[in-house]
Amino acid sequence: MKAVKISEGVYWVGVKDWNKRVFDALIPLPHGTSYNAYLVIGSEKTALIDTVNPGFENELGEKINGVKGIGEIDYMVMNHAEPDHSGAIPYLLERNEKAVLVATKKGADIARAYYDVPEDRVMVVKDGDEVSLGGKTLRFIEAPWLHWPETMFTYLVEDKILFTCDFFGAHLAGGFYDSDVPDIMTHAQRYFGEIMMPFSAMARKALQKIGELEIEMIAPSHGPIYRNPERIIETYGRWSSGETREKVLIAYVSMYGTNERIVKELAARLTAEGIEVVVYNLVNSDIGEIAKDLVDSRAIVLAAPTVLGGAHPLAVHAAYLVKALRPPARYALIVGSHGWHGRSNEALLEVLKGLNLELLGTLDVHARPGADDYNKLLRLTNLLINKVREG
Ligand code: FEO
């Protein structure tokens, strides 16, 4: 694949990583991903915005050289220092004697640590600073903690293109523009849940900042380029403001079927009441899908058996992820089961401590669910339905 022109003098020079299946040694990538980098050519200067993951340097280099030599780049703009976007900086520095790395102050510090960028090759920029390439102006917009402390956006003033790196991204190798991917918002939601949700407050600030810009194209560094940016901006506004739906996410582990029976009963009653329900058996669930559904679920139900004096480890892992991702859900139910001593509920509540969740109740079934258990489940389910409907 060669460089792709996305506007006059602006080229996509990124790579598609179709085979990547796990990100950050944690997040499954069922659809691979892309590392988008962009070459912006003015009448006097040339800038590269972001680079690619280590291992793809030659592919990046070939694309750049197909448009303009690597040695002719004047600015390497680093919107984000994480290696999937900045890992090719050492490769480029070796092949270019003049380019300076453009980054926030924090970004410059991180780049020195990760990529051995010499002091005289760094240009620190602040919010609103501009660099002219000749007929093309790059304006830098500080947008910290999306999702590292150094993150920024770059706005190409004349073309009205906003380069946002991870923000507005999607882990998806397929498709080039948003119109190529019919379910792009589902991919974007998953990505938001995995990466941006814990930083929703910073996302709101960034959205407020870019609200003043005229934007014709959003060019993130993962996934498709948005030629219709309004929808993703509006949707990010809802997600980052914590807007939830009448939706309950249930994640469970069941060793001998007890929790599964409880969960199925609960899910059936919620569904019958018109509440949207998503159910994940944690034995074989994709945590990226769970992250996606945490973005707009109003309530969370965790169900786990007691194992070795605590909750089943898969449920502990799920509870830990819920806490780390800081979803906007407002209500929780915790369900346990045990053979002789119930400890799972307290173990899960300990993990979730500190989250702004209202615990509606717990249920701990001894061996097999009996009439008392189903009666309690009914009461809890009715309470859950009322709360979810209240908003
Ligand atoms: Fe795609 Fe935070 O790196």
Side-chain angles (χ1 to χ4, degrees), residues 9-307:
V10 185
Y11 297 83
W12 175 88
V13 290
V15 300
K16 301 280 191 181
D17 191 349
W18 294 93
N19 295 317
K20 184 94 166 171
R21 283 295 173 266
V22 182
F23 201 82
D24 287 348
L26 178 66
I27 303 165
L29 297 186
H31 308 285
T33 192
S34 59
Y35 315 112
N36 301 330
Y38 303 92
L39 199 64
V40 183
I41 303 173
S43 59
E44 294 158 19
K45 305 271 186 181
T46 296
L48 176 70
I49 299 179
D50 295 329
T51 75
V52 297
N53 202 52
F56 293 91
E57 294 91 340
N58 288 332
E59 209 175 314
L60 169 72
E62 281 168 24
K63 288 201 182 86
I64 294 172
N65 284 329
V67 182
K68 191 138 190 175
I70 289 177
E72 294 179 66
I73 294 170
D74 298 282
Y75 300 103
M76 283 190 275
V77 177
M78 189 188 75
N79 281 326
H80 176 27
E82 195 167 2
D84 55 323
H85 307 294
S86 296
I89 287 172
Y91 166 95
L92 295 165
L93 285 174
E94 273 177 26
R95 288 159 180 78
N96 177 305
E97 292 179 351
K98 63 173 181 177
V100 291
L101 186 81
V102 180
T104 61
K105 180 170 185 318
K106 186 68 94 175
D109 293 342
I110 297 174
R112 285 184 202 103
Y114 269 95
Y115 308 116
D116 291 328
V117 183
E119 201 57 47
D120 61 349
R121 303 282 300 266
V122 176
M123 175 178 164
V124 171
V125 289
K126 300 185 305 301
D127 202 35
D129 283 356
E130 292 186 348
V131 160
S132 174
L133 307 178
K136 295 217 181 278
T137 310
L138 300 180
R139 182 185 302 160
F140 306 105
I141 300 167
E142 290 192 66
W145 286 110
L146 296 173
H147 58 127
W148 280 21
E150 85 297 1
T151 46
M152 69 172 187
F153 304 154
T154 300
Y155 181 60
L156 178 52
V157 176
E158 291 79 4
D159 298 76
K160 302 182 175 64
I161 302 175
L162 185 65
F163 301 92
T164 55
C165 200
D166 278 343
F167 205 60
F168 299 125
H171 279 311
L172 187 66
F176 193 80
Y177 290 111
D178 52 338
S179 52
D180 302 333
V181 185
D183 58 347
I184 181 58
M185 299 312 287
T186 305
H187 295 283
Q189 181 169 342
R190 177 181 169 121
Y191 187 89
F192 182 90
E194 293 164 341
I195 308 290
M196 295 297 161
M197 188 161 61
F199 304 96
S200 289
M202 300 311 287
R204 289 196 297 276
K205 282 188 185 172
L207 288 169
Q208 205 170 10
K209 237 180 203 184
I210 65 171
E212 300 157 6
L213 299 176
E214 262 188 82
I215 301 172
E216 287 187 358
M217 202 182 284
I218 287 177
S221 290
H222 293 295
I225 295 166
Y226 289 88
R227 284 190 295 198
N228 307 291
E230 299 80 13
R231 183 167 61 146
I232 187 69
I233 292 173
E234 184 269 326
T235 308
Y236 255 54
R238 283 191 284 109
W239 291 337
S240 63
S241 68
E243 190 177 305
T244 57
R245 294 144 54 94
E246 288 190 1
K247 176 174 173 180
V248 177
L249 181 144
I250 304 174
Y252 76 98
V253 185
S254 191
M255 290 167 69
Y256 301 113
T258 297
N259 286 321
E260 189 159 86
R261 285 166 70 180
I262 294 290
V263 160
K264 284 176 84 170
E265 180 73 18
L266 173 62
R269 295 193 71 84
L270 292 170
T271 305
E273 292 291 331
I275 308 260
E276 186 180 347
V277 182
V278 284
V279 178
Y280 289 101
N281 181 341
L282 292 168
V283 171
N284 52 18
S285 291
D286 172 341
I287 58 169
E289 286 296 299
I290 295 176
K292 178 196 75 180
D293 282 312
L294 284 172
V295 170
D296 56 5
S297 289
R298 195 164 293 163
I300 298 168
V301 179
L302 284 179
T306 293
V307 181

